[in-house]
Amino acid sequence: PKECFLIEPRETKEDTTKTRKRRKKKITDVLAKSEPKPGTPADLQQLMKDYYSSSRSVIELEELSLPESCFLTANDLTHSLSSYLKEICPKWVKLRKNHSEKKSVLMLIICSSAVRALELIRSMTAFRGDSKVMKLFAKHIKVQEQVKLLEKRVVHLGVGTPGRIKELIKQGALNLNPLKFLVFDWNWRDQKLRRMMDIPEIRKEVFELLEMGVLSQCKSESLKLGLF
């Protein structure tokens, strides 16, 4: 009797690409299944290492690492923005009364979009009191308008996106020397479940902003970083 062999149908290129497409997980799928974990200083340090590892030497990477002492208590996901800011800056009222320098702010809150910045401004009413707050984003606001406002009046709090903040520093309209607190809107997720640092363009602009004097101020301990 002859042996009978079953020949399996050959896999076409089309089939393999289909299975590959199926296997590829989107970041939203991964994030949807994962439990939300509060951000920590180690997360920021690791992101910086990953971002610069291909373009910097080992020595340069070491210089980028920040001392633990420059980090404020991170939000454990139980705080509102006002309660978090009150915790990290209990002497805010006294601090803002002593601030009289134009073209500067005492506290910067960095987020991913103009819409999110407006949400944050609304949610910090209990903390800010009589403080002058400025919107530092590009949507519907020309950079020249922001430059004039910073020149004219004393501003205590700035809330906005890293791209526009960077532009104002470049133009000499925003001086970072009086800055005492830099808070990242770290844990919030957008409709696609991405945090601010999950978006490549935002991450790039954040690191570029950090190199515009922020890192050196953190090392000299004149500036503290918070992860909300």
Side-chain angles (χ1 to χ4, degrees), residues 126-142:
F127 169 78
R128 76 184 203 214
D130 299 330
S131 309
K132 293 279 180 287
V133 182
M134 192 162 167
K135 299 164 189 169
L136 302 174
F137 49 77
K139 205 170 189 181
H140 309 309
I141 307 170
K142 287 178 182 172

Side-chain angles (χ1 to χ4, degrees), residues 4-37:
C4 181
F5 293 102
L6 285 170
I7 298 162
E8 286 187 19
R10 277 188 186 176
E11 214 176 67
T12 62
K13 274 186 184 176
E14 227 174 278
D15 296 332
T16 51
T17 50
K18 273 181 189 173
T19 51
R20 265 186 212 149
K21 273 179 191 170
R22 263 187 236 124
R23 279 185 208 130
K24 200 176 182 184
K25 280 186 179 178
K26 288 181 182 174
I27 190 164
T28 45
D29 302 330
V30 177
L31 292 169
K33 285 176 186 173
S34 64
E35 279 288 306
K37 281 182 187 173

Side-chain angles (χ1 to χ4, degrees), residues 72-83:
L72 297 154
T73 313
N75 177 21
D76 58 1
L77 303 183
T78 61
H79 282 285
S80 66
L81 182 59
S82 280
S83 70

Side-chain angles (χ1 to χ4, degrees), residues 57-161:
S57 68
V58 178
I59 297 159
E60 285 173 321
L61 285 173
E62 274 175 27
E63 282 173 10
L64 286 169
S65 67
L66 293 164
E68 285 296 314
S69 56
C70 81
F71 286 97
L72 297 154
T73 313
N75 177 21
D76 58 1
L77 303 183
T78 61
H79 282 285
S80 66
L81 182 59
S82 280
S83 70
Y84 177 68
L85 296 178
K86 279 177 184 175
E87 185 180 287
I88 63 168
C89 183
K91 294 178 181 175
W92 175 250
V93 177
K94 189 183 176 184
L95 199 64
R96 72 170 165 78
K97 277 180 183 171
N98 295 332
H99 177 63
S100 58
E101 210 172 313
K102 288 171 186 174
K103 295 169 85 173
S104 69
V105 292
L106 288 171
M107 184 184 283
L108 262 181
I109 299 171
I110 295 176
C111 59
S112 56
S113 68
V115 174
R116 179 61 182 157
L118 292 172
E119 270 176 37
L120 289 169
I121 291 167
R122 282 194 294 269
S123 66
M124 66 198 281
T125 314
F127 169 78
R128 76 184 203 214
D130 299 330
S131 309
K132 293 279 180 287
V133 182
M134 192 162 167
K135 299 164 189 169
L136 302 174
F137 49 77
K139 205 170 189 181
H140 309 309
I141 307 170
K142 287 178 182 172
V143 73
Q144 290 84 355
E145 286 174 42
Q146 290 164 332
V147 169
K148 280 176 190 171
L149 281 169
L150 285 161
E151 282 171 354
K152 266 187 203 172
R153 63 182 193 193
V154 174
V155 180
H156 306 102
L157 269 155
V159 185
T161 54

